Structures are given as C-alpha cells and as structure tokens.
Amino acid sequence: MTRKFQTLEGFVAHLQNRVLPSLPVAVHRGVQDGAELIRDTVKEQIGQYLEGPEDGLPTAPLTDSTIDDRIRKGFTPDDPGLRSGEMRDSYGARVGEEGLEVEASIGSDDLKAVYFELGTIRDGQFHQPPRPELSVAASRCEQKIARGAGRMIVGALEGRPLPNSRSHEEQAD
C-alpha cells in the first residue's frame, strides 16, 4: 500500500498520529504472539520424544523402572512428562507492558517442569536426563516469531491497523 502526502506537514502528522502511537502496540502484539506460540508448542511437545538438531536432542528414552512405575499408577507407559497433564497445563506466558522494548517469559511455576527441563543429578550422574522442551520450542518457533513480529511492525509503519487474529495463526509453515 503506497501513501502519498501533499506536504511535509501531512507526512509528519501521519507519523505522529498514526505510526508512532501504534508501534508500541505492534511490538507488544508481536512479542505476545511469539510467547504464546512457544508456550503452545511446549504443551504440544510434552509426552513425546524430541529429535532434531537442537541442543540436548534426541531426548533419552524412559527407563524401564519409570515405565513400570507409570503402568503401576495407571498411566500410559511411554509418554515422557505426561501423566495427569497437570505439569503440561502449568506452562504459561507473561508479557510486559506495551513499548518499543517488550519482555516475555515462558515457563512453569511447577518444580516438576523445572526438573523435567534441566534434569536431576544423583551421585554425580543424571538421575533424570534433561528434556529441553522450552529451548527446543523457542528454537523451532524463532523464524515464525520473527516473521510475525516483523509483519506487525511493518504494518504499523505503513499505518495499517493490527489484524484481529494472532500473527502465528496467520502464518502457515
């Protein structure tokens, strides 16, 4: 979309009234969409073995004793991190206030999720190996998030309103 301005004052007014107020909103929206995409991706990954080029992959198989314990307690035998769904459902995303710099945090307040992500050590060796769900999700979503945030910012610079749907829902890979 090309805009033409008759005067420099008209261009400055456009920047002041339309572009500058919308930039912080666009940045926030891009960060919020990205944080929600990472959160949703982590939730989808829980219960699966992860393979790929990211650090910490492929994830280790469950031990026989863990599988036996899961079966004894009435859970499926081989879905890492997924028993009742409580830990998976504990993941959330928090996003800071609108601005040209916006911070987000994605994670869980459940200690089981921390142990799951980082692993646990007993007698100098991993008792539970790390399963880097958050870092893998962030790595896998990075390009989609950058494209979505970029679309929001470019739209604001062009003076377009923000779309109603989330940027990561619009972009198919």
Side-chain angles (χ1 to χ4, degrees), residues 84-98:
S84 68
E86 185 177 320
M87 182 183 79
R88 175 199 59 212
D89 295 343
S90 72
Y91 284 88
R94 295 183 187 124
V95 180
E97 298 296 319
E98 290 176 0

Side-chain angles (χ1 to χ4, degrees), residues 25 55 68 83 92 94 157 166 168:
V25 176
D55 287 341
D68 291 344
R83 290 190 182 211
R94 295 183 187 124
L157 291 172
R166 299 288 189 219
H168 70 268

Side-chain angles (χ1 to χ4, degrees), residues 34-48 50 80-82 87-93 106-108 113 116-117 131-141:
E36 291 172 359
L37 179 60
I38 293 170
R39 177 205 60 208
D40 294 348
T41 301
V42 168
K43 288 182 173 189
E44 291 170 8
Q45 290 174 174
I46 300 289
Q48 301 175 36
L50 300 179
L82 185 61
M87 182 183 79
R88 175 199 59 212
D89 295 343
S90 72
Y91 284 88
I106 304 101
S108 170
F116 192 73
E117 182 81 18
R131 298 186 185 279
E133 303 288 343
L134 283 165
S135 61
V136 168
S139 176
R140 290 179 176 176
C141 295

Side-chain angles (χ1 to χ4, degrees), residues 64-79:
D64 291 341
S65 62
T66 300
I67 290 171
D68 291 344
D69 181 62
R70 291 175 61 85
I71 292 169
R72 195 171 37 259
K73 292 178 179 173
F75 298 107
T76 56
D78 205 18
D79 299 317

Side-chain angles (χ1 to χ4, degrees), residues 146-160:
R147 285 191 305 269
R151 275 194 312 279
M152 295 292 176
I153 293 167
V154 168
L157 291 172
E158 291 176 343
R160 290 185 279 134

